[in-house]
Amino acid sequence: MAAIGYDPDAQVMEVEFVSGAVYRYAPVSGALYARFRTASSLGQFFDAYIRDVVPFTRLV
């Protein structure tokens, strides 16, 4: 992952991947985002708790 952003009011997280693809995930609770940001492996956490679990939209 190249960049991660979060809007706590809207419970929206955006992830930019190294490939340049950008995805918006929602709803993402503040607790889930905090756990994601502090995970020892962002990729493993993403695969287990976000990918195919949280609804998303591809932006770019």
Side-chain angles (χ1 to χ4, degrees), residues 4-45:
I4 301 166
Y6 183 67
D7 178 344
D9 294 329
Q11 291 193 327
V12 171
M13 178 176 71
E14 290 185 2
V15 178
E16 179 182 356
F17 293 91
V18 177
S19 68
V22 178
Y23 289 82
R24 177 175 291 155
Y25 295 86
V28 174
S29 69
L32 179 62
Y33 177 71
R35 288 177 47 218
F36 181 41
R37 292 294 295 166
T38 59
S40 59
S41 170
L42 293 180
Q44 286 181 350
F45 187 93

